[in-house]
Amino acid sequence: MKSEKFASASRKTFLSAIIIIGAVILGLRLFQMQILNQTSYDDKTADNSIKMIELSPRRGVFFDRNLKLLVNNIPTYTLRITPADYNKKLNEILESVLKVKPGYINNVLDQNKVYSKYLPLKIKRGINFDIVAWLEENSDNLPGVDYIVDMHRGYPAGVYGSHIFGYAKEISRKQLKKEKEFYKLGDFVGYNSIEKSYEKVLRGTKGSKFVLVNSSRKKIGDYKNGADDIPAVKGKDIVLTIEAKTQRTAEREFIGKKGALVAIEPVSGEILAMVSSPQFDLKEFSYITSKDFLNILYNDPGKPLFNRATMSVKPPGSTFKIIAAVTALDLGIITTSTTFFCNGGYTYGRLFKCHGVHGNVNVIQAIEKSCNAFFYQLILKIGINKWSEYSRRFGFGSKTKIDIGQESAGLIPYSKYYEKIYGVNWPKSILLSLVIGQGEVSVTPLQLAQYTALIANNGFAVQPHLVKGYIENNTKEFVSKNYKSFNVGIDKKVFDIVRHGMYLVVHGAGTATRLRHSKYEISGKTGTAQNPHGEDHAWFVAFAPFDNPKIAVAVIVENVGFGSTYAAPIAQKVIEEYLNSLEPDESEEVKTISLLKKTKMGEAIAN
Amino acid sequence: MQIDYHINDKFDFGLLFPVIILFCFGLAAIFSATFNNALADSNFQKQLIWGFVALIVFFITYSLPTKSFKQLAIPTFLISILLLIAVIIIGKKVSGARSWLAFGALGFQPSEFAKIGTLLMLSRFLSMNNTNINSFRDLLMALGIGFLPVVLILMEPDMGTAIVFLAMIITLIFWKGTSVFALFVVLSPGFVAFSSLFGTYYFLAALFLILVILFLFKENIFFSGSIFALNLASGFFADYVYGALKPHQQQRIQAFIDPMSDPLGSGYNTIQAKAAIGSGGFFGKGFLEGHQTQLQFIPEQWTDFVYSVIGEEFGFIGTIIMLGLFTFLFLRILKLASQSKNEFLSLTSIGILSIFFTHFIINIGMVLGIIPIIGLPLPFVSYGGSSLLVNMIMLGILANIYRTRKNYS
């Protein structure tokens, strides 16, 4: 070793020795572990394995605005078999207990042969409690057979809420790859609407439990008596802005119809009811969704999965005339004494028709009678850009930022929009369709409801939302969620004038006089959206009571024709249901919430 | 038979065959470990594709002109250093260390690439005509070249790879012909410090060993005495440093010495891996039949702990065959290194040997619980494209050196 020269033979010998000694040490260690001590290690894997069991938290539930339970969790039992420990002799007896055809278990086992036999297979879901009791009793004679409790969503209030609640399902592999920090295979995750946008609030925090298991992976005890266990923390319960009875009424009114409804409390932006029809039953999603059911949903020409209330964009029809009235009044272009003449239409290049001969009308009468001729002449004085700026102030042309994501912005054209299509000298006659809510202008039912609420509330509004707040797990205290508010910056007098017009739509010689017999003073505006592909769509926007509006509604019924005939009665029912619910219950509601704050009653409700 | 002679003369099947068998062992283990894992069940296919890519790269490296390695030494070293600096600044953080550079979906570890760069550079420096490794100046120069990447890698921080580099630097200097006594003087305090962590008895045993070796060297008594004193001091210093460490750092060292002290934390993997291997017995439990593997007791078992899958499912037979294949490969490389009379190529071969061997001994030692948990993959076996690729390039360099060994002798 003393020879200090490059790559000497002694150095080679030294390195060979290191390699061989290293390999021999590892080899001896392997011999010791795998041959000499094999049994003791086997015991270790078998008898003394510490196994971590993940504890899944319970998902938060949903309450309506009066703390009525809308969405809860229902336990279901699933029978499982771990093939490695299972004896096929048990097939017969199990099949008779489960009341399934002979050969059922073999069939499931064969189908899942590719998976490890050490992992439990779900054999039958939704087994009833008698079977669970039988399994418990006979567990010693049923090696490799066990059951687990899965939670799935229930809807105890009889409210569909198809497009409000959304659904939670087992996480897909694709999503799992993106979010593997929290989820694992088999976990539930919110897929759309509230279940999705409030996923982080609802899902809670996972816990873990350490147990000692034996060779057949049966639990033989807690590790350190559970000293290291971390309990799961259940998700927060959510209080929605929805009023259950109102929502149910709205849903019932839409059975057999296509369309949407949004009802908002003007002062707070809270959505009291929201329907998109065709509706579907979320129960079908809560558990295992059958392929047939999905096929029906996907192939239905009415597109039930599409949330019409926030995503469908349609021309608003005459409901939009109020924008022009507000703009002109606010800019001082007209006053209540300004009149335009209606002789059954207005000639601008060609004759643009009105649906009657109204003579000299002022702005209030124009709204009352929905006089086209008045607005044709008015828009030519306003010009497209002012009109479009005011439309945007009311939230049209952009998303309302409702707290469930999926939403369309609609379209409010500027002059540039037409310059691009037709050049600088685009035909100004286009304005005449825009002002009566036809042509390129398009809005969502949600935007139209927000606009009605703004009119009812003198131009002040809060971003529309479905979630009022959460209930804290520990204190059971209600914590309200804050939303942005905004003001359109228009004088109250202007709103007084247009509201007067809307009052007369119902109570004067207007287009929705059928609602005048309602117990409450409803004001509104009808609209008909021209549909080049078929029957027109019926619109109705309304608010009530007149003096102190508590509810603003926008309704669209698709492909039926005139607004007042089809859409107005639905609005009326919903308004009446909600205002009825306020009258006797108002004091009680306050009581419930304050009770919830003080006592632990929330616990009882949550369970 | 003439054709056979030619092939054997130009291509060393003894290098490639064991590697291909090891790779297949790895594939089987990766398949088994990811079998029930929805997040990783594509790893088998990915590794297979990487295998083909790496084989092509192997043959490209094999057919390059041999002199090009020396020419590439300086540029690859400079690129390595730049990449190592880049990764500290813009690298992607994976489990606490900033060691990955990401290019879209692909990522790679500059420290892998730097293995080749540093190896070629150091070999080039040491093989220069006027380099005298026993002169203080040249030794310092060699250490300077080697330590630059080590410091950068420690900044990521990647302890395991830094150890691989250190082992390579020491091996190259040793192979070049430095005085063994000098090497001993430098290395022994580290050994004593490490032993002292295990307790007083280990510390005393290590000191005794040092004493015996000093005696064998027969240096003058005063010099030997000061070296012994230095060793003694390093043991106490290690104890002092341990005391100054933060609790979680102490815990990690403690978990190595006694895994049972923290069975749910850092000791968990060791306990489970040892249980998996031990329970495999002589014949193993059979492919896809290992409890520990199939129930996924060890997280990401297809990477650093892949050997425990072999141990559980293929038993002692499997683990010993792999051990044999590795040993055969190492001795083959050593033979090649001593055959080559060209200093640069010989040093390069021995450097590659040290890289493979360090990975091998640390990885398997860790899985068997005789070395602390240092995250290093098992060459050609563990899942991972970037390390497979670099290992196959190094194997290609060896095959290349074999091809032209007669031209350079």
Side-chain angles (χ1 to χ4, degrees):
Chain A
M1 293 282 275
K2 282 242 163 180
S3 63
E4 284 165 17
K5 91 179 203 295
F6 173 76
S8 68
S10 59
R11 277 167 205 251
K12 184 194 168 192
T13 316
F14 181 72
L15 288 186
S16 322
I18 288 188
I19 292 170
I20 289 165
I21 291 170
V24 167
I25 290 175
L26 295 181
L28 286 175
R29 172 72 172 169
L30 282 167
F31 183 77
Q32 179 211 8
M33 287 169 76
Q34 299 194 287
I35 313 277
L36 298 181
N37 297 340
Q38 194 228 336
T39 34
S40 84
Y41 278 113
D42 215 10
D43 289 347
K44 197 164 266 167
T45 64
D47 289 334
N48 263 326
S49 285
I50 302 163
K51 198 179 169 191
M52 194 193 88
I53 298 172
E54 203 174 71
L55 302 174
S56 297
R58 207 147 42 78
R59 224 175 150 74
V61 302
F62 298 178
F63 295 105
D64 91 333
R65 61 191 294 112
N66 301 319
L67 298 178
K68 195 175 159 80
L69 192 58
L70 292 178
V71 178
N72 62 356
N73 297 308
I74 300 173
T76 35
Y77 300 95
T78 301
L79 182 113
R80 305 190 305 177
I81 286 180
T82 308
D85 307 326
Y86 180 68
N87 186 342
K88 284 195 175 176
K89 279 179 195 156
L90 295 167
N91 276 0
E92 210 174 311
I93 180 156
L94 270 181
E95 277 161 356
S96 74
V97 171
L98 291 174
K99 297 190 184 74
V100 290
K101 274 179 261 162
Y104 173 88
I105 292 177
N106 257 341
N107 197 12
V108 178
L109 293 180
D110 283 348
Q111 277 173 3
N112 292 291
K113 247 185 185 160
V114 289
Y115 298 110
S116 166
K117 52 187 190 179
Y118 295 100
L119 290 184
L121 285 175
K122 289 182 176 176
I123 298 292
K124 190 151 191 330
R125 300 181 191 240
I127 57 173
N128 64 34
F129 199 76
D130 293 342
I131 301 179
V132 172
W134 181 84
L135 285 173
E136 282 283 357
E137 254 170 55
N138 299 295
S139 66
D140 287 343
N141 305 320
L142 295 167
V145 181
D146 67 354
Y147 68 90
I148 47 164
V149 188
D150 279 334
M151 286 290 180
H152 72 88
R153 284 301 209 194
Y155 303 92
V159 170
Y160 274 135
S162 350
H163 302 88
I164 301 174
F165 307 146
Y167 53 90
K169 277 186 84 65
E170 279 192 14
I171 190 164
S172 70
R173 290 189 169 216
K174 210 167 134 196
Q175 199 182 348
L176 191 58
K177 283 195 178 165
K178 274 187 248 157
E179 296 179 62
K180 53 182 166 186
E181 267 103 69
F182 186 85
Y183 302 99
K184 65 171 180 43
L185 208 64
D187 279 352
F188 274 64
V189 63
Y191 260 74
N192 56 14
S193 298
I194 294 178
E195 295 270 22
K196 184 180 180 183
S197 50
Y198 288 89
E199 169 68 17
K200 286 198 175 134
V201 179
L202 290 167
R203 70 185 182 189
T205 314
K206 283 185 176 180
S208 45
K209 184 177 175 60
F210 296 97
V211 293
L212 295 169
V213 291
N214 66 12
S215 59
S216 46
R217 285 161 301 288
K218 280 244 162 71
K219 183 181 157 186
I220 51 173
D222 291 334
Y223 176 71
K224 284 197 198 163
N225 284 324
D228 290 333
D229 294 357
I230 304 159
V233 180
K234 95 183 225 311
K236 285 181 188 149
D237 296 335
I238 284 184
V239 178
L240 302 188
T241 58
I242 295 293
E243 204 285 309
K245 272 192 265 170
T246 313
Q247 174 72 19
R248 202 161 45 212
T249 306
E251 286 174 358
R252 210 168 290 152
E253 286 301 314
F254 267 98
I255 289 173
K257 300 186 183 84
K258 260 199 297 182
L261 173 144
V262 178
I264 298 184
E265 184 178 60
V267 193
S268 62
E270 291 173 2
I271 294 177
L272 304 167
M274 187 168 93
V275 175
S276 168
S277 185
Q279 306 161 66
F280 54 92
D281 194 347
L282 284 170
K283 258 184 249 155
E284 300 277 356
F285 278 101
S286 66
Y287 196 28
I288 339 166
T289 321
S290 77
K291 282 219 171 87
D292 295 341
F293 179 71
L294 278 180
N295 280 338
I296 292 170
L297 286 186
Y298 287 132
N299 298 331
D300 188 330
K303 293 188 188 160
L305 292 172
F306 178 71
N307 186 355
R308 289 172 152 76
T310 61
M311 298 185 73
S312 78
V313 286
K314 298 262 166 13
S318 302
T319 59
F320 214 64
K321 286 174 181 165
I322 298 163
I323 285 284
V326 168
T327 311
L329 287 166
D330 193 50
L331 293 173
I333 295 172
I334 55 165
T335 64
T336 41
S337 47
T338 314
T339 58
F340 291 108
F341 187 70
C342 168
N343 60 359
Y346 177 70
T347 312
Y348 187 81
R350 64 175 174 86
L351 179 73
F352 284 80
K353 275 192 192 163
C354 190
H355 42 74
V357 182
H358 301 112
N360 268 322
V361 285
N362 69 8
V363 63
I364 295 172
Q365 292 160 327
I367 293 172
E368 174 186 0
K369 294 176 179 149
S370 200
C371 173
N372 289 351
F374 177 90
F375 287 101
Y376 292 150
Q377 292 164 75
L378 187 62
I379 190 68
L380 293 171
K381 288 191 187 292
I382 298 169
I384 184 165
N385 286 343
K386 280 287 167 205
W387 170 84
S388 143
E389 186 216 312
Y390 272 79
S391 305
R392 278 161 202 278
R393 280 209 217 170
F394 280 85
F396 293 107
S398 59
K399 296 181 175 180
T400 64
K401 302 206 177 80
I402 184 176
D403 49 349
I404 52 166
Q406 299 179 315
E407 188 185 1
S408 306
L411 175 71
I412 298 296
Y414 270 109
S415 55
K416 277 199 184 128
Y417 176 87
Y418 293 108
E419 279 167 19
K420 253 188 206 160
I421 304 174
Y422 303 105
V424 186
N425 293 318
W426 54 278
K428 298 295 178 293
S429 57
I430 287 172
L431 281 177
L432 275 54
S433 347
L434 291 181
V435 74
I436 60 164
Q438 310 290 3
E440 284 79 5
V441 53
S442 63
V443 306
T444 65
L446 175 63
Q447 286 173 334
L448 219 48
Q450 176 177 257
Y451 151 83
T452 314
L454 278 165
I455 295 169
N457 200 37
N458 297 318
F460 172 84
V462 179
Q463 185 183 312
H465 54 273
L466 282 160
V467 171
K468 216 170 155 153
Y470 322 117
I471 294 174
E472 275 298 338
N473 274 327
N474 299 330
T475 54
K476 299 292 165 207
E477 225 168 282
F478 174 77
V479 181
S480 65
K481 198 175 169 229
N482 294 319
Y483 296 88
K484 268 189 203 149
S485 57
F486 65 98
N487 195 329
V488 294
I490 294 169
D491 201 70
K492 181 176 175 292
K493 282 177 201 151
V494 173
F495 288 109
D496 285 338
I497 296 165
V498 295
R499 274 201 299 263
H500 188 197
M502 289 172 80
Y503 180 81
L504 293 175
V505 168
V506 178
H507 301 276
T511 49
T513 48
R514 62 169 68 215
L515 304 192
R516 70 171 52 174
H517 303 297
S518 170
K519 188 170 144 194
Y520 302 101
E521 278 191 320
I522 302 173
S523 313
K525 182 76 197 75
T526 54
T528 306
Q530 285 166 6
N531 178 13
H533 309 292
E535 281 284 341
D536 290 347
H537 308 306
W539 278 110
F540 190 67
V541 299
F543 63 88
F546 182 75
D547 294 324
N548 179 19
K550 295 276 186 205
I551 179 169
V553 186
V555 182
I556 182 170
V557 185
E558 292 176 13
N559 310 112
V560 288
F562 188 50
S564 122
T565 326
Y566 300 95
I570 297 178
Q572 182 187 0
K573 288 251 174 63
V574 169
I575 288 170
E576 283 171 357
E577 182 66 57
Y578 179 66
L579 295 179
N580 271 338
S581 83
L582 284 186
E583 277 179 10
D585 286 7
E586 199 155 30
S587 56
E588 209 175 295
E589 180 192 3
V590 174
K591 232 192 279 166
T592 329
I593 291 189
S594 62
L595 208 69
L596 195 75
K597 276 181 188 167
K598 280 178 205 142
T599 70
K600 292 215 163 177
M601 196 188 127
E603 208 159 25
I605 295 168
N607 296 322
Chain B
M1 283 293 115
Q2 211 173 359
I3 292 168
D4 273 349
Y5 168 78
H6 273 295
I7 289 177
N8 278 330
D9 196 39
K10 294 278 179 205
F11 190 83
D12 189 4
F13 288 99
L15 283 175
L16 188 60
F17 270 178
V19 164
I20 286 181
I21 301 169
L22 286 169
F23 177 72
C24 292
F25 262 107
L27 275 181
I30 291 164
F31 184 83
S32 178
T34 58
F35 188 54
N36 291 308
N37 193 315
L39 299 175
D41 54 9
S42 61
N43 285 6
F44 173 76
Q45 284 101 310
K46 283 191 200 158
Q47 181 77 350
L48 198 59
I49 293 166
W50 273 114
F52 280 114
V53 173
L55 198 62
I56 292 166
V57 173
F58 166 81
F59 280 112
I60 292 172
T61 317
Y62 166 74
S63 43
L64 290 175
T66 307
K67 62 174 188 296
S68 62
F69 298 129
K70 196 163 189 169
Q71 291 159 352
L72 284 170
I74 295 176
T76 46
F77 182 69
L78 290 179
I79 293 169
S80 301
I81 298 299
L82 287 178
L83 286 172
L84 285 174
I85 293 171
V87 82
I88 294 170
I89 302 164
I90 56 162
K92 203 172 99 182
K93 217 166 188 154
V94 176
S95 51
R98 216 175 270 286
S99 62
W100 285 85
L101 271 185
F103 298 99
L106 283 174
F108 94 114
Q109 285 178 287
S111 56
E112 288 290 333
F113 181 74
K115 281 177 188 166
I116 298 176
T118 312
L119 169 63
L120 293 180
M121 186 63 200
L122 203 53
S123 301
R124 189 192 149 109
F125 172 75
L126 290 175
S127 61
M128 287 195 310
N129 282 333
N130 53 358
T131 302
N132 173 13
I133 197 60
N134 284 324
S135 87
F136 188 65
R137 193 186 61 113
D138 285 356
L139 180 66
L140 215 61
M141 185 71 185
L143 290 177
I145 293 170
F147 278 151
L148 181 58
V150 171
V151 168
L152 291 171
I153 288 165
L154 280 175
M155 281 167 77
E156 291 179 3
D158 182 353
M159 183 63 137
T161 311
I163 292 175
V164 172
F165 273 70
L166 283 177
M168 179 184 82
I169 296 163
I170 293 165
T171 313
L172 284 179
I173 292 173
F174 172 79
W175 194 240
K176 172 65 185 173
T178 188
S179 135
V180 176
F181 185 70
L183 216 52
F184 167 74
V185 171
V186 176
L187 295 180
S188 59
F191 169 71
V192 174
F194 184 71
S195 313
S196 72
L197 292 176
F198 287 83
T200 316
Y201 289 115
Y202 288 90
F203 176 51
L204 292 178
L207 280 179
F208 180 72
L209 194 67
I210 298 293
L211 213 56
V212 171
I213 294 171
L214 278 174
F215 181 73
L216 290 173
F217 272 119
K218 297 189 179 97
E219 293 285 336
N220 90 49
I221 185 78
F222 180 71
F223 193 43
S224 300
S226 5
I227 290 163
F228 184 75
L230 183 72
N231 276 295
L232 192 67
S234 80
F236 286 112
F237 182 68
D239 201 50
Y240 169 77
V241 169
Y242 180 78
L245 285 178
K246 297 205 172 83
H248 75 269
Q249 291 167 324
Q250 287 185 355
Q251 208 175 8
R252 212 173 292 171
I253 294 172
Q254 205 54 47
F256 155 60
I257 296 163
D258 177 18
M260 267 307 189
S261 69
D262 184 16
L264 302 180
S266 8
Y268 178 83
N269 284 0
T270 316
I271 293 173
Q272 300 297 351
K274 277 159 79 177
I277 291 191
S279 65
F282 190 76
F283 292 107
K285 295 176 189 164
F287 187 49
L288 302 180
E289 301 282 334
H291 294 184
Q292 296 269 316
T293 302
Q294 298 307 323
L295 291 171
Q296 295 168 14
F297 274 103
I298 303 169
E300 308 225 331
Q301 205 178 355
W302 51 92
T303 57
D304 294 351
F305 281 88
V306 72
Y307 198 61
S308 64
V309 181
I310 308 281
E312 186 177 25
E313 302 200 339
F314 299 108
F316 186 65
I317 294 184
T319 51
I320 281 294
I321 289 176
M322 281 183 69
L323 222 53
L325 287 167
F326 270 116
T327 312
F328 176 82
L329 177 70
F330 296 150
L331 293 176
R332 194 80 178 187
I333 302 173
L334 183 59
K335 189 178 156 202
L336 179 66
S338 48
Q339 269 176 353
S340 183
K341 295 293 173 278
N342 177 297
E343 268 200 46
F344 171 75
L345 297 177
S346 175
L347 282 164
T348 303
S349 311
I350 213 76
I352 293 172
L353 171 63
S354 84
I355 292 171
F356 286 169
F357 184 73
T358 316
H359 271 268
F360 161 81
I361 208 89
I362 289 186
N363 178 283
I364 296 186
M366 161 185 90
V367 174
L368 301 184
I370 48 180
I371 283 181
I373 296 198
I374 298 166
L376 277 183
L378 189 57
F380 310 111
V381 184
S382 286
Y383 172 76
S386 114
S387 87
L388 181 64
L389 201 64
V390 168
N391 287 336
M392 285 302 272
I393 291 175
M394 292 195 283
L395 199 71
I397 295 176
L398 293 173
N400 188 313
I401 293 173
Y402 179 87
R403 177 170 64 91
T404 59
R405 70 196 183 287
K406 289 183 180 164
N407 312 358
Y408 282 91
S409 57

